[in-house]
């Protein structure tokens, strides 16, 4: 039985470029942590931001921090060393946390789309439908859903027998790279089950987000003034941008045809997706959300104005 795996995702990557990418990804990793922590601190300290939309944003920032912490530090260490092994337990843990936080992130994006739908299409019922208890329940369901998918997928995959090679053609314990190492009659059915679960969850979230914006756009077009349409749509821009970035990168990585010599390009794209998308989220929400941007600016002014006076 396999007790540890060898990660070879960076083996075919141009070795002379690894230090430069290590420094770039390290800076992006630190910015991701600081940016999301700043958003969370600003929301909790500013009473004007104690609304459902910003509660969901705090939950989203938490999921991004945990997802990044679960994967990026190990990836950065492997970029520095040539001996890249991971134990069976650590591999299972990495898969569980990446699935849990990744799917929780998708569920939270879906809920944020629903929040915008209720605010724009049913404004008079907003405080009833999005009560504090209701919002807490939606966030709890998102975390529970991500945890269930993470636990179910990890248990299914690691219930298989790995009796062949222990070399994972990836820089992390990627589910489909692991399934290629499994042996036994159930491998094909497990692979199909994992694909169905992942695709159904992600496409289900995307479908509901798109459906929300269909109703949102229809409601906005009924607003008589151009200024009113612009002001209403501006409350959706940051969320919509993050959704487009999240699903566009994922589509490029998982739907791109796999060539026989594309290992290094696949590694570059996958690492960029894992580091770059969480890096972009706090930037998008801070720059595209005027209310949050003003609150962050006010927070810095209060913090540093005594020093300048």
């Amino acid at each position: 039985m396999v007790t540890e795996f060898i990660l070879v995702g960076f083996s075919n990557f141009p070795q002379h470029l690894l230090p430069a990418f290590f420094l770039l990804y390290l800076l992006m990793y630190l910015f991701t942590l600081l940016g999301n922590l700043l958003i969370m601190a600003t929301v909790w300290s500013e009473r004007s931001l104690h609304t459902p939309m910003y509660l969901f944003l705090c939950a989203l920032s938490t999921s991004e921090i945990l997802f990044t912490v679960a994967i990026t530090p190990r990836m950065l260490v492997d970029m520095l060393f040539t001996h890249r092994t991971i134990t069976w337990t650590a591999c299972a843990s990495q898969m569980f946390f990446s699935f849990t936080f990744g799917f929780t992130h998708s569920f939270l994006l879906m809920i944020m789309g629903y929040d915008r739908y209720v605010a724009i299409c049913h404004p008079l019922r907003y405080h009833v439908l999005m009560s504090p208890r209701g919002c807490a329940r939606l966030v709890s369901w998102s975390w529970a859903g991500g945890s269930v998918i993470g636990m179910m997928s990890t248990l299914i995959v690691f219930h298989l027998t790995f009796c062949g090679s222990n070399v994972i053609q990836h820089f992390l314990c990627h589910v489909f790279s692991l399934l290629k190492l499994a042996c036994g009659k159930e491998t094909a059915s497990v692979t199909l089950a994992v694909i169905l679960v992942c695709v159904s969850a992600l496409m289900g979230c995307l479908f509901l987000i798109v459906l929300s914006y269909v109703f949102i756009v229809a409601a906005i077009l009924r607003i008589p003034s151009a200024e009113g349409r612009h002001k209403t749509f501006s409350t959706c821009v940051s969320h919509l941008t993050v959704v487009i970035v999240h699903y566009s990168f994922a589509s490029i990585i998982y739907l791109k045809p796999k060539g026989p010599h594309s290992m290094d390009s696949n590694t570059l794209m996958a690492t960029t997706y894992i580091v770059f998308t969480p890096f972009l989220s706090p930037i998008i929400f801070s720059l595209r959300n005027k209310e949050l941007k003003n609150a962050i600016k006010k927070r810095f002014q209060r913090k540093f104005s005594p020093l300048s006076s």
Side-chain angles (χ1 to χ4, degrees):
M1 178 182 173
V2 174
T3 58
E4 68 174 15
F5 298 95
I6 301 173
L7 304 169
V8 297
F10 290 117
S11 298
N12 295 330
F13 195 82
Q15 298 301 301
H16 64 284
L17 295 178
L18 279 179
F21 276 100
F22 168 82
L23 182 60
L24 175 63
Y25 290 155
L26 176 62
L27 293 174
M28 292 169 71
Y29 168 67
L30 294 175
F31 183 88
T32 299
L33 298 182
L34 294 175
N36 281 296
L37 287 172
L38 176 61
I39 288 176
M40 293 168 64
T42 302
V43 170
W44 287 114
S45 63
E46 294 291 331
R47 293 187 63 85
S48 62
L49 300 182
H50 291 182
T51 62
M53 181 173 71
Y54 293 105
L55 168 66
F56 298 142
L57 180 56
C58 277
L60 189 75
S61 294
T62 303
S63 71
E64 288 186 339
I65 288 173
L66 294 175
F67 177 82
T68 305
V69 169
I71 295 179
T72 307
R74 168 78 203 207
M75 184 189 79
L76 292 173
V77 170
D78 285 345
M79 293 180 78
L80 294 178
F81 299 99
T82 56
H83 185 67
R84 305 174 179 115
T85 61
I86 186 169
T87 64
W88 191 93
T89 304
C91 190
S93 299
Q94 187 184 68
M95 179 183 291
F96 168 72
F97 288 122
S98 62
F99 266 75
T100 297
F101 303 137
F103 279 101
T104 299
H105 185 272
S106 296
F107 291 144
L108 288 170
L109 286 176
M110 177 185 67
I111 288 174
M112 292 175 78
Y114 173 71
D115 171 74
R116 292 298 83 209
Y117 159 75
V118 175
I120 294 171
C121 299
H122 303 284
L124 298 179
R125 301 178 59 198
Y126 182 76
H127 292 292
V128 175
L129 294 174
M130 306 303 291
S131 64
R133 180 177 295 181
C135 293
R137 191 180 295 122
L138 288 173
V139 172
S140 300
W141 285 346
S142 297
W143 283 97
S147 300
V148 168
I149 293 178
M151 181 63 72
M152 186 171 61
S153 302
T154 304
L155 289 176
I156 289 175
V157 171
F158 281 87
H159 180 70
L160 297 172
T161 303
F162 299 96
C163 54
S165 171
N166 67 335
V167 177
I168 299 176
Q169 299 292 330
H170 211 280
F171 61 87
L172 54 83
C173 289
H174 189 263
V175 58
F176 298 119
S177 299
L178 269 170
L179 287 171
K180 293 177 183 179
L181 306 182
C183 52
K185 297 179 180 178
E186 24 189 60
T187 303
S189 58
V190 167
T191 302
L192 181 60
V194 170
I195 291 174
L196 286 176
V197 169
C198 295
V199 171
S200 299
L202 292 175
M203 291 298 102
C205 290
L206 180 60
F207 171 75
L208 292 175
I209 291 171
V210 171
L211 188 63
S212 297
Y213 275 100
V214 168
F215 288 112
I216 287 171
V217 170
I220 290 175
L221 292 177
R222 290 196 293 268
I223 299 175
S225 68
E227 183 182 355
R229 289 194 295 269
H230 178 268
K231 185 178 180 180
T232 304
F233 186 71
S234 65
T235 64
C236 306
V237 171
S238 56
H239 171 257
L240 188 58
T241 305
V242 169
V243 169
I244 292 172
V245 169
H246 177 71
Y247 278 95
S248 297
F249 267 92
S251 300
I252 292 172
I253 291 171
Y254 291 108
L255 299 181
K256 186 179 79 72
K258 300 293 189 295
H261 303 292
S262 61
M263 181 70 178
D264 51 349
S265 63
N266 291 338
T267 299
L268 177 60
M269 291 174 65
T271 52
T272 302
Y273 168 71
I274 285 173
V275 179
F276 193 58
T277 49
F279 166 79
L280 278 181
S281 289
I283 297 176
I284 293 170
F285 280 112
S286 299
L287 295 181
R288 301 298 302 178
N289 189 304
K290 188 177 181 180
E291 196 174 14
L292 179 62
K293 181 168 65 175
N294 290 337
I296 292 175
K297 191 182 298 183
K298 190 191 304 181
R299 181 179 175 85
F300 273 101
Q301 287 174 348
R302 285 202 305 261
K303 186 84 172 176
F304 297 108
S305 57
L307 296 178
S308 58
S309 57

